[in-house]
Amino acid sequence: MSKLLRIGVLASGGGTNLQAIIDRCMDGSLAAEIAVVITNNPGAGALDRASSVGVPTLCINHRDFSQRHEFDGAVVKALQDAGVELVVLAGFMRILTPHFVNRFLGQLMNIHPSLLPKYPGLHTHQRAIDAGDSEAGATVHFVTPELDGGPTIVQARVPVLKNDTAELLANRILAFEHQIYPLAAEWFCQGLLELRDGNIIFDNELLPAEGVSLEIREKQ
Ligand code: GRF
């Protein structure tokens, strides 16, 4: 069996994206192991999801640090100690310092619940509804120092329905997040993805701004 890539996951909340990645590691379709799950939130559901399957966890509470760079330094050290080769942000609600981002540049991914570059930041679903958008979605992107601004790896597009609330739309998009995030991690594990001079090279070709083009269906 070929070597498993070591993934570090940073999560602050429920951890359903973490779960999707755990599931794909466990069924063998993702050639990776989760080396550590780190949270800044002692109450994060992600901690239970990880520890229930024996994945090492660590809580590094940002409230224990007076400076952002000290918190980031502790997280970087923990990831390095765990020998992490890919860092996956899965609902991690802290903004990372450029020092952190540059340390893992090209090995650091995020998932954001909008069709970036539309709606960086918070309340993305409500903003899409308020704007009367006909479609919304989620984006997996490499992280660069600009918030939600790194190049897109893959997007899932989801229609906005007439009676959508932010919650309904968020739940529908989340189901697609659970497909595209493990997929992007898998491409990384297969050595297909490379961040080069702010662009993505996918399978030796320059990727267009909207990322890998993909037909994704809702799972039944
Ligand atoms: C997801 O909507 C993700 O796009 C965003 O935070 C949410 C995390 O959800 N970055 P979960 O903790 O993975 O369930």
Side-chain angles (χ1 to χ4, degrees):
M1 198 176 76
S2 61
K3 185 179 160 289
L4 299 177
L5 191 102
R6 293 177 72 76
I7 298 182
V9 179
L10 306 190
S12 302
T16 63
N17 278 290
L18 164 68
Q19 188 67 55
I21 293 171
I22 289 175
D23 292 347
R24 295 282 305 275
C25 289
M26 290 183 78
D27 73 15
S29 59
L30 180 55
E33 63 183 316
I34 302 185
V36 66
V37 170
I38 301 176
T39 185
N40 62 311
N41 169 17
L47 286 175
D48 300 328
R49 291 180 187 273
S51 45
S52 72
V53 290
V55 167
T57 61
L58 209 53
C59 178
I60 304 179
N61 192 336
H62 61 280
R63 293 192 177 84
D64 295 339
F65 298 82
S66 55
Q67 308 272 345
R68 190 182 288 273
H69 73 265
E70 287 169 3
F71 166 74
D72 272 22
V75 178
V76 167
K77 181 167 183 322
L79 291 168
Q80 283 175 172
D81 289 351
V84 163
E85 297 158 283
L86 171 67
V87 181
V88 164
L89 305 182
F92 189 60
M93 300 306 284
R94 305 295 300 166
I95 294 173
L96 299 168
T97 58
H99 168 75
F100 185 111
V101 173
N102 287 322
R103 166 63 186 79
F104 289 104
L105 200 65
Q107 299 170 278
L108 178 57
M109 287 180 187
N110 182 40
I111 189 156
H112 182 78
S114 80
L115 295 172
L116 289 171
K118 269 193 162 179
Y119 315 128
L122 299 175
H123 311 302
T124 53
H125 309 99
Q126 192 60 53
R127 286 156 74 195
I129 291 170
D130 291 348
D133 292 354
S134 60
E135 60 175 9
T139 303
V140 179
H141 63 97
F142 275 120
V143 176
T144 60
E146 187 197 342
L147 179 67
D148 298 329
T152 292
I153 299 168
V154 63
Q155 292 187 316
R157 312 184 86 86
V158 175
V160 179
L161 304 180
K162 200 161 140 263
N163 294 318
D164 259 342
T165 60
E167 194 187 353
L168 286 172
L169 182 58
N171 285 335
R172 280 208 321 281
I173 291 175
L174 202 52
F176 285 89
E177 293 183 29
H178 300 157
Q179 294 190 53
I180 60 172
Y181 215 3
L183 194 56
E186 187 183 325
W187 292 333
F188 188 91
C189 289
Q190 292 169 346
L192 293 173
L193 274 177
E194 189 197 335
L195 180 67
R196 201 187 289 167
D197 300 329
N199 295 307
I200 298 175
I201 309 297
F202 179 76
D203 200 11
N204 295 316
E205 305 264 357
L206 183 68
L207 206 54
E210 63 275 16
V212 177
S213 135
L214 204 63
E215 194 60 35
I216 312 163
R217 282 176 219 294
E218 204 152 356
K219 272 199 178 150
Q220 297 304 313

